[in-house]
Amino acid sequence: MTDHALRLLRQSRSAAELAAFPFEFDLDRADHAEEVRLASGGPLTPVAGDGTGGTYFLCADGSVLYADSEGSAGIIASSADEALETVIGLPGWHDYLDLSPADGMEKILARIAETEEEIRADYDIDAERAELRAQLGLPERSPVELIGMLHTALLRTEPDFLLLNAEEGGAYERLDRHPRPPLWEPVLAQGRADLTALRAGEGPAAWDAVARDPLRRRLALRAAQFDRAADDLGLLRHLVRYEAQSSMTDELRLGAVLVGLHGLAEDLPLLHEVRDTDFDTVCGLSDLPGPGDSGADLRRWALETDASMFGTDPSDEPVFTWTDLARDQGMTEVARVALIRRLDEIELGQHLLRRPDGAADALDTSPLRALGRGFEELGDTFQALRAQRLFAALQDTAWARVSARLTQARLERELGLLPQATATLATLRAVLTDPRDTSLRLWHGVNLGRFIAEEHYALTRALADADLPEETRTLLAASDAILGELSGNASMGVRELAEDTAERVRDLG
């Protein structure tokens, strides 16, 4: 981490004044317009700002992230000193975000000369630049080199430095529009390498290292989905046989399809053996052609299933295919960024669908359910709650609204948002007593009723632990009322929880 020049800047008033004007790195403008945080949870320290409302933040590894006042952010330097080199050497750096070394020296220098000529009409930036560099001990780098440093820094913004609005959770847009590799490329890299090795291997013994590892096996099957070769049948059979040990997975169906595309009737016994592994595989592969069917029947099934579920373009895969595989490989931030960006898209879509009268057209809410699960699996309860609140607000039956609010209350409780969780459960109870929707008429006698009661008592205990006696007793009464409405089967196991909770409340005095 290099911050020698930043320390000198803080110690010298004359240097600080020069940095602030005309180079727009003002130590006195370090307050950003809104609360922000990194999606990764890493520390973020504001160090300076500029006249447009933008802010320079120092990250844990020394990198400098710049956030403008319009909702865009990006890494602009690998250190504070490098950031100072950039803003001093390229005072018009905001106008160069689209440049890269690939543009060539002539184009880069022409753009910079045009910008700086406009600045020179008002300021003697050459003398001021030389003076400030001397005071801070910074080297004189060529504009082309500085553009290269800026470009390299910008490309590091995601996944580790995604900036969020701290209150609402939405992500800042990228400062630049440089192309990035698609999500699937880093996620599938191990699978593509393994597929290459499998093809070079000498039969089953050489394939076992990949086949016996559930994650590497899944990745190899996904790689084979997008890179199909006529000679892969033997290794595909091997992978499919092992994948059945994981019960029914998307990759097991994929493997069966890839085998079936070869159209050989001799593979039907293998696929039926795989199908009969357990109850889940029997259900998941129930549509396989029968044992006496032909290779043509098998190929027809494989072609139809491939067209409806798989295909050969990784860009057509649902984002959750890649985020799940990223998470399982420990690529947590890669998965998190993709899921947050997807949630942002859905929120924006819902906003755009809203009509002038305040109502909204129908929105497919199924991705929101998957997003909530994905965030929880990443341990990101904050974003899971964000997805769940939107999901709950879009439900159109009483049963769906109660189920969604129940999950929302749990997430709020887990985040320590006890007043919000209490209000959510109050909304839930109001829906329970609404006679206009009959979808909830049986809630008293099924698991939903038990889950509602359990969450009420869990929140009651949380309120007690937070030493909120009045709120605790009020919710305990509501919890007992819910329990009183449950049938015998639905209340099993809840009464003991109710007694333990009541005892905890009595301890409040």
Side-chain angles (χ1 to χ4, degrees):
M1 185 183 302
T2 308
D3 62 356
H4 177 70
L6 179 61
R7 284 186 279 112
L8 290 176
L9 190 67
R10 287 169 170 165
Q11 295 166 6
S12 169
R13 189 60 198 169
S14 63
E17 288 175 352
L18 262 183
F21 189 80
F23 297 106
E24 293 287 342
F25 190 91
D26 191 342
L27 299 178
D28 295 329
R29 291 181 181 267
D31 292 328
H32 198 55
E34 63 183 8
E35 289 296 317
V36 293
R37 66 179 181 86
L38 291 179
S40 65
L44 199 62
T45 305
V47 293
D50 62 26
T52 68
T55 308
Y56 297 90
F57 294 90
L58 196 61
C59 303
D61 70 341
S63 296
V64 173
L65 182 141
Y66 175 83
D68 67 22
S69 59
E70 304 299 321
S72 297
I75 294 293
I76 64 161
S78 63
S79 69
D81 286 7
E82 187 178 298
L84 283 165
E85 286 189 58
T86 298
V87 301
I88 297 168
L90 301 172
W93 69 268
H94 297 82
D95 296 327
Y96 312 144
L97 294 171
D98 62 322
L99 291 176
S100 77
D103 290 310
M105 179 183 299
E106 184 177 349
K107 180 178 178 179
I108 291 172
L109 292 178
R111 283 276 298 277
I112 293 172
E114 181 181 358
T115 303
E116 295 199 351
E117 201 57 41
E118 295 176 3
I119 299 174
R120 287 190 185 94
D122 299 307
Y123 313 109
D124 185 6
I125 59 167
D126 298 301
E128 292 165 337
R129 179 157 46 202
E131 180 182 348
L132 187 53
R133 277 175 172 161
Q135 288 197 49
L136 300 182
L138 295 175
E140 181 177 349
R141 298 186 192 271
S142 73
V144 174
E145 184 179 1
L146 290 173
I147 288 294
M149 291 162 57
L150 176 61
H151 178 258
T152 298
L154 288 166
L155 294 181
R156 291 198 301 111
T157 302
E158 294 180 8
D160 294 324
F161 303 101
L162 181 68
L163 191 67
L164 306 180
N165 175 293
E167 182 178 354
E168 298 174 0
Y172 275 52
E173 294 297 322
R174 294 173 182 157
L175 269 181
D176 67 278
R177 296 295 177 264
H178 295 298
R180 267 74 165 180
L183 172 62
W184 61 267
E185 278 196 9
V187 175
L188 203 54
Q190 178 65 58
R192 296 167 82 183
D194 279 341
L195 180 62
T196 299
L198 287 169
R199 287 170 172 167
E202 298 296 330
W207 297 336
D208 279 353
V210 173
R212 289 174 176 169
D213 184 313
L215 178 56
R216 292 178 67 186
R217 185 172 66 236
R218 289 168 59 207
L219 290 165
L221 283 167
R222 285 293 176 182
Q225 175 184 350
F226 308 113
D227 179 11
R228 303 180 182 190
D231 294 337
D232 284 349
L233 182 56
L235 67 89
L236 289 171
R237 289 168 174 163
H238 197 70
L239 293 174
V240 165
R241 191 182 297 277
Y242 273 90
E243 185 60 19
Q245 298 174 6
S246 296
S247 192
M248 191 62 220
T249 65
D250 290 340
E251 285 75 25
L252 180 60
R253 176 173 282 273
L254 168 61
V257 165
L258 294 175
V259 169
L261 286 172
H262 290 264
L264 299 179
E266 65 193 69
D267 284 317
L268 280 168
L270 166 65
L271 296 180
H272 278 273
E273 178 187 340
V274 165
R275 185 197 66 179
D276 295 338
T277 300
D278 58 29
F279 178 76
D280 289 338
T281 54
V282 168
C283 295
L285 295 173
S286 62
D287 57 343
L288 271 174
D293 286 334
S294 67
D297 293 324
L298 176 59
R299 179 169 168 76
R300 189 178 306 109
W301 168 83
L303 285 168
E304 292 173 355
T305 307
D306 190 27
S308 64
M309 297 187 65
F310 299 111
T312 59
D313 187 347
S315 300
D316 291 338
E317 279 292 318
V319 67
F320 303 108
T321 297
W322 305 122
T323 55
D324 287 353
L325 289 171
R327 180 199 67 226
D328 292 346
Q329 293 180 80
M331 301 165 68
T332 302
E333 297 312 316
V334 169
R336 193 196 314 274
V337 168
L339 293 177
I340 290 173
R341 292 292 191 198
R342 181 71 182 103
L343 180 53
D344 287 350
E345 290 173 3
I346 294 174
E347 276 195 334
L348 177 61
Q350 174 62 11
H351 175 74
L352 294 176
L353 286 171
R354 194 163 296 279
R355 301 192 297 268
D357 61 3
D361 295 324
L363 177 73
D364 179 13
T365 60
S366 56
L368 289 169
R369 188 189 295 273
L371 281 166
R373 286 197 301 268
F375 283 124
E376 285 207 75
E377 288 166 352
L378 290 175
D380 195 334
T381 308
F382 177 85
Q383 292 290 347
L385 174 58
R386 181 179 162 220
Q388 187 64 28
R389 283 174 169 166
L390 180 55
F391 178 75
L394 296 171
Q395 300 312 299
D396 56 5
T397 68
W399 183 285
R401 287 197 297 274
V402 165
S403 298
R405 294 296 182 192
L406 186 61
T407 300
Q408 178 182 330
R410 172 181 62 80
L411 294 171
E412 288 168 338
R413 172 175 56 81
E414 290 176 355
L415 281 171
L417 303 175
L418 304 186
Q420 292 91 326
T422 301
T424 298
L425 288 185
T427 300
L428 182 156
R429 293 194 300 276
V431 177
L432 290 178
T433 59
D434 186 347
R436 293 172 295 177
D437 189 324
T438 60
S439 64
L440 276 171
R441 65 185 183 279
L442 301 178
W443 74 269
H444 318 76
V446 296
N447 281 338
L448 179 62
R450 175 167 62 87
F451 297 151
I452 292 170
E454 288 174 344
E455 183 55 38
H456 273 73
Y457 285 118
L459 182 55
T460 300
R461 292 182 68 90
L463 290 168
D465 292 342
D467 196 23
L468 298 168
E470 183 177 347
E471 294 87 343
T472 300
R473 294 188 179 95
T474 298
L475 189 58
L476 178 62
S479 305
D480 291 342
I482 292 287
L483 177 58
E485 294 195 54
L486 299 185
S487 69
N489 287 337
S491 65
M492 290 181 60
V494 181
R495 297 194 180 280
E496 182 177 350
L497 176 61
E499 292 171 3
D500 291 343
T501 304
E503 183 176 350
R504 174 69 184 89
V505 174
R506 284 193 294 271
D507 291 342
L508 287 176

